[in-house]
Amino acid sequence: MAASRLPFHAPCIQIAGIRDEQEVRLLLEAEVDYLGFPFRLPVHAPDLSEASAAELIRKTGIHARAVCITYETTPEAIVGLCHTLGVAAVQLHAPMPLGALQELRRLAPELGILHSLVIGRDPLDQLAQQLQRLAPFVDGFLTDTFDPTTGASGATGYIHDWQTSAAIVRAAPRPVILAGGLTADNVAAAIAAVRPAGVDAHTGVEDHAGRKDPDRVQAFVREARKGFALLKTQD
Ligand SMILES: O=C(O)c1ccccc1NCC(=O)[C@H](O)[C@H](O)COP(=O)(O)O
């Protein structure tokens, strides 16, 4: 696997959709590696304001673990948003021209760049092409689920065809994080099936009110670590 500039280490666990300091503390205590802050998305409303997120990231000292999740596509807007928030990495969910990705790297060489690949919307051969085209400009990929009923391609709460993600992991010259409908109940099986560098969850670790649930978070981390440990014994 090619060396990655991303601050991510593998295996890693990311949890997205953080609302406040209580949730940050909970995730840090559970030893979650990366915390995702979604902003400027077409489908979902933000969980908190950009200013509040910036203050939260600063106050809790999580710069190196904080990831901005966004549909922004212009390099200047992405860099501005990431600098305002004080995150170490960005997770891009909208397609960008390669020139724009290159410009993003030039403007912010220290910023880790993850790019999502949407499973269930784009056919595998198209995903494979995307993977190879994007790889020189990004540090990693995240496979996520498309929900045709809402048009959402993130935070859907649905799993996708793990065989497709497994094929992407095998073909990818960069680390791949698996997302989409992961919970404590399925994450170990997902890791065994896909063999990703990391896993990501949002809705599967929340309660009915959309708050991070301590028991679900802890169980998710425990099961994910078990899944990764098992993979290691098979290497
Ligand atoms: O997290 C969001 O709100 C979000 C919204 C739109 C696009 C992507 C988004 N997040 C990306 C993630 O990394 C989520 O954690 C991922 O989609 C998994 O979500 P879930 O299926 O709810 O576990």
Side-chain angles (χ1 to χ4, degrees), residues 59-141:
K59 183 178 176 195
T60 52
I62 57 165
H63 159 80
R65 292 166 178 253
V67 179
C68 170
I69 296 167
T70 188
Y71 273 73
E72 277 289 0
T73 52
T74 60
E76 294 77 10
I78 293 167
V79 172
L81 176 59
C82 290
H83 282 173
T84 301
L85 294 173
V87 297
V90 65
Q91 187 173 301
L92 302 170
H93 279 259
M96 275 170 75
L98 293 186
L101 276 177
Q102 212 166 1
E103 178 62 4
L104 175 59
R105 180 66 89 200
R106 193 189 67 76
L107 290 176
E110 75 293 348
L111 187 69
I113 303 175
L114 269 179
H115 203 294
S116 83
L117 296 169
V118 184
I119 314 296
R121 187 188 65 192
D122 308 330
L124 182 57
D125 58 339
Q126 228 177 72
L127 290 168
Q129 281 172 18
Q130 238 181 312
L131 190 68
Q132 299 306 334
R133 262 182 342 106
L134 295 171
F137 307 101
V138 305
D139 299 294
F141 294 96

Coordinates of all heavy atoms in Angstrom, one line a residue, residues 59-141:
K59 N -11.2 24.0 22.1 CA -11.3 23.8 23.6 C -10.9 22.3 24.0 O -10.3 22.2 25.1 CB -12.8 24.1 24.0 CG -13.0 24.0 25.4 CD -14.4 24.3 25.8 CE -14.7 24.1 27.3 NZ -16.1 24.1 27.6
T60 N -11.3 21.4 23.2 CA -11.0 20.0 23.6 C -9.7 19.5 23.0 O -9.3 18.3 23.3 CB -12.2 19.0 23.1 OG1 -12.4 19.3 21.7 CG2 -13.5 19.3 23.8
G61 N -9.0 20.3 22.3 CA -7.7 19.9 21.8 C -7.6 18.8 20.8 O -6.7 18.0 20.8
I62 N -8.7 18.6 20.0 CA -8.7 17.5 19.1 C -8.4 17.7 17.7 O -8.7 16.9 16.8 CB -10.1 16.8 19.2 CG1 -11.2 17.8 18.8 CG2 -10.4 16.2 20.6 CD1 -12.6 17.2 18.5
H63 N -7.6 18.8 17.4 CA -7.3 19.2 16.0 C -6.8 17.9 15.2 O -7.3 17.7 14.1 CB -6.2 20.2 16.0 CG -5.4 20.3 14.8 ND1 -5.9 20.9 13.7 CD2 -4.2 19.7 14.4 CE1 -5.0 20.8 12.7 NE2 -4.0 20.1 13.1
A64 N -5.9 17.2 15.8 CA -5.3 16.1 15.0 C -6.2 14.9 14.8 O -6.0 14.1 13.9 CB -4.0 15.5 15.8
R65 N -7.4 14.9 15.5 CA -8.3 13.8 15.3 C -9.6 14.3 14.6 O -10.5 13.5 14.4 CB -8.8 13.3 16.7 CG -7.8 12.6 17.5 CD -8.3 12.5 18.9 NE -7.5 11.8 19.8 CZ -7.7 10.6 20.3 NH1 -8.8 10.0 19.9 NH2 -6.8 10.0 21.1
A66 N -9.6 15.6 14.3 CA -10.9 16.1 13.8 C -10.9 16.2 12.3 O -9.9 16.6 11.6 CB -11.1 17.6 14.3
V67 N -12.0 15.7 11.7 CA -12.2 15.6 10.2 C -13.4 16.4 9.8 O -14.5 16.2 10.4 CB -12.3 14.1 9.8 CG1 -12.5 14.0 8.3 CG2 -11.1 13.3 10.3
C68 N -13.2 17.2 8.8 CA -14.4 18.0 8.3 C -15.0 17.1 7.2 O -14.3 16.8 6.2 CB -13.9 19.3 7.8 SG -15.2 20.2 6.8
I69 N -16.3 16.9 7.3 CA -17.0 16.1 6.2 C -17.8 17.1 5.4 O -18.7 17.8 6.0 CB -18.0 15.1 6.9 CG1 -17.1 14.1 7.7 CG2 -18.9 14.4 5.9 CD1 -17.9 13.2 8.7
T70 N -17.6 17.2 4.1 CA -18.3 18.2 3.4 C -18.5 17.9 1.9 O -17.9 17.0 1.3 CB -17.5 19.6 3.5 OG1 -18.2 20.6 2.9 CG2 -16.1 19.4 2.7
Y71 N -19.5 18.7 1.3 CA -19.8 18.6 -0.1 C -19.2 19.8 -0.8 O -19.5 20.0 -2.0 CB -21.3 18.6 -0.3 CG -21.9 17.2 -0.3 CD1 -22.1 16.5 0.9 CD2 -22.3 16.6 -1.5 CE1 -22.6 15.3 0.9 CE2 -22.9 15.3 -1.4 CZ -23.1 14.7 -0.2 OH -23.6 13.4 -0.2
E72 N -18.5 20.6 -0.1 CA -17.8 21.8 -0.8 C -16.9 21.2 -1.9 O -16.3 20.2 -1.7 CB -16.9 22.5 0.2 CG -17.7 23.6 1.1 CD -18.1 24.8 0.3 OE1 -17.9 24.9 -0.9 OE2 -18.7 25.7 0.9
T73 N -16.8 22.0 -3.0 CA -16.0 21.5 -4.1 C -14.9 22.5 -4.5 O -14.1 22.1 -5.3 CB -16.8 21.2 -5.3 OG1 -17.6 22.3 -5.6 CG2 -17.7 20.0 -5.1
T74 N -14.9 23.7 -4.0 CA -13.9 24.6 -4.5 C -12.7 24.6 -3.4 O -13.0 24.7 -2.2 CB -14.4 26.1 -4.7 OG1 -14.9 26.5 -3.4 CG2 -15.5 26.1 -5.7
P75 N -11.5 24.5 -3.9 CA -10.4 24.4 -3.0 C -10.3 25.5 -2.0 O -10.1 25.2 -0.8 CB -9.1 24.5 -4.0 CG -9.6 24.1 -5.3 CD -11.1 24.5 -5.3
E76 N -10.6 26.7 -2.4 CA -10.5 27.8 -1.5 C -11.5 27.7 -0.4 O -11.2 28.0 0.8 CB -10.7 29.2 -2.2 CG -9.6 29.5 -3.2 CD -9.7 28.8 -4.5 OE1 -10.7 28.1 -4.8 OE2 -8.7 28.9 -5.3
A77 N -12.7 27.3 -0.8 CA -13.8 27.2 0.3 C -13.5 26.0 1.2 O -13.7 26.1 2.4 CB -15.2 26.9 -0.4
I78 N -12.9 24.9 0.7 CA -12.6 23.8 1.6 C -11.5 24.2 2.5 O -11.6 23.9 3.7 CB -12.1 22.6 0.7 CG1 -13.3 22.1 -0.1 CG2 -11.6 21.5 1.6 CD1 -13.0 21.1 -1.2
V79 N -10.5 24.8 2.0 CA -9.3 25.2 2.9 C -9.8 26.2 4.0 O -9.5 26.1 5.1 CB -8.2 25.8 2.1 CG1 -7.1 26.4 3.0 CG2 -7.6 24.8 1.2
G80 N -10.7 27.2 3.5 CA -11.2 28.2 4.5 C -12.0 27.5 5.6 O -11.8 27.8 6.8
L81 N -12.9 26.6 5.2 CA -13.7 25.9 6.1 C -12.8 25.1 7.1 O -13.0 25.1 8.3 CB -14.7 24.9 5.4 CG -15.6 24.0 6.2 CD1 -16.5 24.9 7.2 CD2 -16.5 23.2 5.3
C82 N -11.9 24.3 6.6 CA -11.0 23.5 7.4 C -10.1 24.3 8.4 O -10.0 23.9 9.5 CB -10.1 22.6 6.6 SG -11.1 21.3 5.7
H83 N -9.7 25.4 7.9 CA -8.9 26.3 8.7 C -9.7 26.9 9.8 O -9.4 27.0 11.0 CB -8.2 27.4 7.9 CG -6.9 26.9 7.2 ND1 -6.2 27.6 6.3 CD2 -6.3 25.6 7.3 CE1 -5.2 26.8 5.9 NE2 -5.2 25.7 6.5
T84 N -10.9 27.4 9.5 CA -11.9 27.9 10.5 C -12.2 26.9 11.5 O -12.2 27.2 12.7 CB -13.2 28.3 9.8 OG1 -12.9 29.3 8.8 CG2 -14.2 28.9 10.8
L85 N -12.4 25.7 11.1 CA -12.8 24.6 12.1 C -11.6 24.2 12.9 O -11.7 23.7 14.0 CB -13.4 23.4 11.4 CG -14.7 23.6 10.7 CD1 -15.1 22.4 9.9 CD2 -15.8 23.9 11.7
G86 N -10.4 24.2 12.3 CA -9.2 23.7 13.0 C -9.1 22.2 12.9 O -8.6 21.6 13.8
V87 N -9.5 21.6 11.7 CA -9.4 20.2 11.6 C -8.1 19.8 10.9 O -7.5 20.6 10.2 CB -10.6 19.6 10.7 CG1 -11.9 19.9 11.4 CG2 -10.6 20.3 9.3
A88 N -7.7 18.5 11.0 CA -6.4 18.0 10.4 C -6.7 17.4 9.0 O -5.8 17.2 8.3 CB -5.8 17.0 11.3
A89 N -8.0 17.1 8.8 CA -8.3 16.3 7.5 C -9.7 16.7 7.1 O -10.5 17.2 7.8 CB -8.2 14.8 7.8
V90 N -9.9 16.5 5.8 CA -11.2 16.7 5.2 C -11.7 15.4 4.5 O -10.8 14.7 3.9 CB -11.2 17.9 4.2 CG1 -10.3 17.7 3.0 CG2 -12.6 18.3 3.8
Q91 N -12.9 15.2 4.6 CA -13.6 14.0 3.9 C -14.5 14.6 2.8 O -15.5 15.2 3.2 CB -14.3 13.2 4.9 CG -14.9 11.9 4.4 CD -15.4 11.1 5.6 OE1 -14.7 10.8 6.6 NE2 -16.7 10.8 5.6
L92 N -14.2 14.4 1.6 CA -14.9 15.0 0.5 C -16.0 14.1 0.0 O -15.7 12.9 -0.4 CB -14.0 15.4 -0.7 CG -12.8 16.3 -0.3 CD1 -11.8 16.4 -1.4 CD2 -13.4 17.7 0.0
H93 N -17.2 14.6 -0.1 CA -18.3 13.7 -0.5 C -18.9 14.1 -1.9 O -19.8 13.5 -2.4 CB -19.4 13.7 0.5 CG -19.1 12.8 1.6 ND1 -19.7 11.6 1.8 CD2 -18.3 12.9 2.7 CE1 -19.2 11.0 2.8 NE2 -18.3 11.8 3.4
A94 N -18.4 15.2 -2.5 CA -18.9 15.6 -3.8 C -17.7 15.5 -4.8 O -16.6 15.8 -4.5 CB -19.4 17.0 -3.8
P95 N -18.0 15.1 -6.1 CA -17.0 14.9 -7.1 C -16.3 16.3 -7.4 O -17.0 17.3 -7.5 CB -17.7 14.4 -8.3 CG -19.1 14.4 -8.0 CD -19.4 14.8 -6.6
M96 N -15.0 16.3 -7.5 CA -14.2 17.5 -7.8 C -13.3 17.2 -9.0 O -12.8 16.1 -9.1 CB -13.3 17.9 -6.6 CG -14.0 18.7 -5.5 SD -12.9 18.8 -4.1 CE -11.7 20.0 -4.6
P97 N -13.1 18.2 -9.9 CA -12.2 18.0 -11.0 C -10.8 17.7 -10.4 O -10.5 18.2 -9.3 CB -12.2 19.3 -11.7 CG -13.4 20.1 -11.2 CD -13.8 19.5 -9.9
L98 N -10.0 16.9 -11.1 CA -8.7 16.6 -10.6 C -7.8 17.8 -10.3 O -7.1 17.9 -9.4 CB -8.0 15.6 -11.5 CG -8.6 14.2 -11.7 CD1 -7.7 13.4 -12.5 CD2 -8.8 13.6 -10.3
G99 N -8.0 18.8 -11.2 CA -7.2 20.1 -11.1 C -7.6 20.7 -9.8 O -6.7 21.3 -9.1
A100 N -8.8 20.6 -9.4 CA -9.2 21.3 -8.1 C -8.6 20.5 -6.9 O -8.2 21.1 -5.9 CB -10.7 21.3 -8.0
L101 N -8.6 19.2 -7.0 CA -8.0 18.4 -5.9 C -6.5 18.8 -5.8 O -5.9 18.9 -4.7 CB -8.1 16.9 -6.2 CG -9.4 16.3 -5.8 CD1 -9.4 14.8 -6.2 CD2 -9.6 16.4 -4.3
Q102 N -5.8 18.9 -7.0 CA -4.4 19.2 -7.0 C -4.2 20.6 -6.3 O -3.3 20.8 -5.6 CB -4.0 19.3 -8.4 CG -2.6 18.9 -8.7 CD -2.3 18.7 -10.2 OE1 -3.2 18.8 -11.0 NE2 -1.1 18.3 -10.5
E103 N -5.1 21.5 -6.6 CA -5.0 22.9 -6.1 C -5.2 22.8 -4.6 O -4.6 23.6 -3.8 CB -6.1 23.8 -6.8 CG -6.1 25.2 -6.3 CD -4.8 26.0 -6.5 OE1 -3.9 25.5 -7.1 OE2 -4.8 27.2 -6.0
L104 N -6.2 22.0 -4.2 CA -6.4 21.8 -2.7 C -5.2 21.4 -2.0 O -4.8 21.9 -1.0 CB -7.6 20.8 -2.5 CG -7.9 20.4 -1.1 CD1 -8.3 21.7 -0.3 CD2 -9.0 19.4 -1.0
R105 N -4.5 20.4 -2.6 CA -3.2 19.9 -2.0 C -2.2 21.1 -1.9 O -1.4 21.2 -1.0 CB -2.7 18.8 -2.8 CG -1.5 18.2 -2.4 CD -1.6 17.5 -1.0 NE -2.0 16.1 -1.1 CZ -2.6 15.4 -0.1 NH1 -2.9 16.0 1.0 NH2 -2.9 14.2 -0.3
R106 N -2.1 21.9 -3.0 CA -1.1 22.9 -3.1 C -1.4 24.0 -2.0 O -0.5 24.5 -1.3 CB -1.1 23.6 -4.5 CG 0.0 24.5 -4.8 CD -0.1 25.3 -6.0 NE -1.2 26.2 -6.0 CZ -1.2 27.4 -5.4 NH1 -0.1 27.8 -4.7 NH2 -2.2 28.2 -5.4
L107 N -2.7 24.3 -1.9 CA -3.1 25.3 -0.9 C -2.9 24.9 0.5 O -2.6 25.7 1.4 CB -4.6 25.7 -1.1 CG -4.9 26.5 -2.4 CD1 -6.4 26.7 -2.4 CD2 -4.2 27.9 -2.4
A108 N -3.1 23.6 0.8 CA -3.1 23.1 2.2 C -2.4 21.8 2.2 O -3.0 20.7 2.4 CB -4.5 23.0 2.7
P109 N -1.0 21.8 2.0 CA -0.3 20.5 1.9 C -0.4 19.7 3.2 O -0.2 18.5 3.2 CB 1.2 20.9 1.6 CG 1.2 22.4 1.8 CD -0.2 22.9 1.8
E110 N -0.7 20.3 4.3 CA -0.7 19.6 5.6 C -2.1 18.9 5.9 O -2.2 18.2 6.8 CB -0.4 20.6 6.8 CG -1.6 21.6 7.1 CD -1.9 22.6 6.0 OE1 -1.2 22.8 5.1 OE2 -3.0 23.3 6.2
L111 N -3.1 19.3 5.0 CA -4.4 18.8 5.2 C -4.6 17.3 4.7 O -4.3 17.1 3.5 CB -5.4 19.7 4.5 CG -6.9 19.4 4.8 CD1 -7.3 19.8 6.2 CD2 -7.7 20.3 3.7
G112 N -5.0 16.4 5.5 CA -5.3 15.0 5.0 C -6.5 15.1 4.2 O -7.5 15.8 4.5
I113 N -6.5 14.3 3.1 CA -7.7 14.3 2.2 C -8.2 12.9 2.0 O -7.5 12.0 1.5 CB -7.3 14.9 0.8 CG1 -6.8 16.4 0.9 CG2 -8.6 14.9 -0.1 CD1 -6.3 17.0 -0.4
L114 N -9.5 12.7 2.4 CA -10.2 11.5 2.2 C -11.3 11.8 1.1 O -11.9 12.8 1.2 CB -10.9 11.1 3.4 CG -10.3 10.2 4.4 CD1 -11.2 9.9 5.6 CD2 -9.9 8.8 3.8
H115 N -11.5 10.8 0.3 CA -12.6 11.0 -0.8 C -13.6 9.8 -0.7 O -13.2 8.7 -0.6 CB -12.0 11.0 -2.2 CG -12.8 11.7 -3.2 ND1 -14.0 11.2 -3.6 CD2 -12.6 12.9 -3.8 CE1 -14.6 12.1 -4.4 NE2 -13.7 13.1 -4.6
S116 N -14.9 10.2 -0.7 CA -15.8 9.1 -0.5 C -16.1 8.4 -1.9 O -16.0 9.1 -3.0 CB -17.2 9.6 0.0 OG -17.9 10.2 -1.0
L117 N -16.4 7.2 -1.9 CA -16.9 6.4 -3.1 C -18.2 5.9 -2.7 O -18.4 5.3 -1.7 CB -15.9 5.3 -3.3 CG -14.5 5.6 -3.7 CD1 -13.6 4.4 -3.7 CD2 -14.4 6.3 -5.1
V118 N -19.2 6.2 -3.6 CA -20.6 5.9 -3.2 C -21.0 4.6 -3.8 O -21.1 4.4 -5.0 CB -21.5 7.1 -3.7 CG1 -23.0 6.8 -3.2 CG2 -21.0 8.4 -3.2
I119 N -21.3 3.7 -2.9 CA -21.7 2.3 -3.3 C -23.2 2.2 -3.4 O -23.9 2.7 -2.6 CB -21.2 1.3 -2.3 CG1 -19.8 1.5 -1.8 CG2 -21.4 -0.1 -2.8 CD1 -18.7 1.4 -2.9
G120 N -23.7 1.6 -4.5 CA -25.1 1.5 -4.8 C -25.6 2.6 -5.7 O -26.7 2.6 -6.2
R121 N -24.8 3.5 -6.0 CA -25.1 4.6 -7.0 C -24.3 4.4 -8.3 O -24.8 4.3 -9.4 CB -24.9 6.0 -6.5 CG -25.4 7.1 -7.3 CD -25.1 8.4 -6.8 NE -23.6 8.7 -6.8 CZ -23.0 9.7 -6.2 NH1 -23.7 10.6 -5.6 NH2 -21.7 9.8 -6.3
D122 N -23.0 4.3 -8.1 CA -22.0 4.2 -9.2 C -21.6 2.7 -9.4 O -21.3 2.0 -8.4 CB -20.8 5.0 -8.9 CG -21.1 6.4 -8.5 OD1 -22.2 6.9 -9.0 OD2 -20.4 7.0 -7.7
P123 N -21.6 2.2 -10.7 CA -21.2 0.8 -10.9 C -19.8 0.6 -10.5 O -19.0 1.5 -10.6 CB -21.5 0.6 -12.4 CG -21.7 1.9 -13.0 CD -22.0 2.9 -11.9
L124 N -19.4 -0.7 -10.3 CA -18.1 -1.0 -9.8 C -17.0 -0.6 -10.8 O -16.0 -0.1 -10.4 CB -18.0 -2.5 -9.5 CG -16.6 -3.0 -9.0 CD1 -16.2 -2.3 -7.7 CD2 -16.6 -4.5 -8.7
D125 N -17.2 -0.7 -12.1 CA -16.2 -0.4 -13.0 C -15.9 1.1 -13.0 O -14.8 1.6 -13.1 CB -16.5 -0.8 -14.5 CG -17.8 -0.3 -15.0 OD1 -18.6 0.1 -14.2 OD2 -17.9 -0.3 -16.2
Q126 N -17.0 1.9 -12.8 CA -16.9 3.4 -12.6 C -16.1 3.7 -11.3 O -15.3 4.6 -11.3 CB -18.2 4.0 -12.6 CG -18.4 5.2 -13.6 CD -19.8 5.7 -13.5 OE1 -20.2 6.3 -12.5 NE2 -20.5 5.4 -14.6
L127 N -16.4 3.0 -10.3 CA -15.8 3.2 -9.0 C -14.3 2.9 -9.1 O -13.4 3.6 -8.6 CB -16.4 2.3 -7.9 CG -17.8 2.7 -7.5 CD1 -18.4 1.6 -6.6 CD2 -17.8 4.0 -6.7
A128 N -14.0 1.8 -9.8 CA -12.6 1.4 -10.0 C -11.8 2.5 -10.8 O -10.7 2.8 -10.4 CB -12.5 0.1 -10.7
Q129 N -12.5 3.1 -11.8 CA -11.8 4.2 -12.5 C -11.6 5.4 -11.6 O -10.5 6.0 -11.6 CB -12.7 4.6 -13.7 CG -12.6 3.7 -14.9 CD -13.6 4.0 -16.0 OE1 -14.2 5.1 -15.9 NE2 -13.9 3.1 -16.9
Q130 N -12.6 5.7 -10.9 CA -12.6 6.8 -10.0 C -11.4 6.7 -9.0 O -10.7 7.6 -8.7 CB -13.9 6.9 -9.1 CG -14.7 8.1 -9.2 CD -15.9 8.0 -8.3 OE1 -16.6 7.0 -8.4 NE2 -16.2 9.0 -7.5
L131 N -11.3 5.5 -8.5 CA -10.3 5.1 -7.5 C -8.9 5.4 -8.1 O -8.1 6.0 -7.4 CB -10.4 3.6 -7.2 CG -9.7 3.0 -6.1 CD1 -10.2 3.4 -4.8 CD2 -9.9 1.4 -6.2
Q132 N -8.6 5.0 -9.3 CA -7.3 5.1 -9.9 C -7.1 6.6 -10.2 O -6.0 7.1 -10.1 CB -7.1 4.2 -11.1 CG -7.3 2.8 -10.8 CD -6.4 2.2 -9.7 OE1 -5.3 2.8 -9.5 NE2 -6.8 1.2 -9.0
R133 N -8.1 7.3 -10.7 CA -7.9 8.7 -11.1 C -7.6 9.6 -9.9 O -6.8 10.5 -9.9 CB -9.2 9.2 -11.8 CG -9.2 9.2 -13.3 CD -10.5 9.7 -13.9 NE -11.6 9.8 -13.1 CZ -12.2 10.9 -12.6 NH1 -11.6 12.1 -12.8 NH2 -13.2 10.9 -11.8
L134 N -8.4 9.3 -8.8 CA -8.3 10.1 -7.6 C -7.1 9.8 -6.7 O -6.6 10.7 -6.0 CB -9.5 10.0 -6.7 CG -10.9 10.4 -7.3 CD1 -12.0 10.0 -6.5 CD2 -10.8 12.0 -7.5
A135 N -6.6 8.6 -6.8 CA -5.6 8.1 -5.8 C -4.3 9.0 -5.7 O -3.9 9.3 -4.6 CB -5.1 6.7 -6.1
P136 N -3.8 9.6 -6.8 CA -2.6 10.4 -6.7 C -2.9 11.7 -5.9 O -1.9 12.3 -5.4 CB -2.2 10.8 -8.1 CG -2.9 9.8 -9.0 CD -4.2 9.4 -8.2
F137 N -4.1 12.1 -5.7 CA -4.4 13.4 -5.1 C -5.1 13.3 -3.7 O -5.4 14.3 -3.1 CB -5.4 14.2 -6.0 CG -4.9 14.3 -7.4 CD1 -5.4 13.4 -8.4 CD2 -3.9 15.2 -7.8 CE1 -4.9 13.5 -9.7 CE2 -3.4 15.3 -9.0 CZ -3.9 14.4 -10.0
V138 N -5.3 12.1 -3.3 CA -5.9 11.9 -2.0 C -5.1 10.9 -1.1 O -4.3 10.2 -1.6 CB -7.4 11.4 -2.1 CG1 -8.2 12.3 -3.0 CG2 -7.4 10.0 -2.6
D139 N -5.4 10.9 0.2 CA -4.7 10.1 1.1 C -5.4 8.8 1.5 O -4.9 7.9 2.1 CB -4.4 10.9 2.4 CG -3.5 12.1 2.1 OD1 -2.4 11.9 1.7 OD2 -4.1 13.2 2.2
G140 N -6.7 8.8 1.2 CA -7.5 7.6 1.5 C -8.9 7.8 0.9 O -9.3 8.8 0.4
F141 N -9.6 6.7 1.0 CA -11.0 6.6 0.5 C -11.9 6.2 1.6 O -11.5 5.5 2.6 CB -11.1 5.7 -0.6 CG -10.4 6.1 -1.9 CD1 -9.1 5.6 -2.1 CD2 -10.9 7.0 -2.7 CE1 -8.4 6.1 -3.2 CE2 -10.2 7.5 -3.9 CZ -9.0 7.0 -4.1

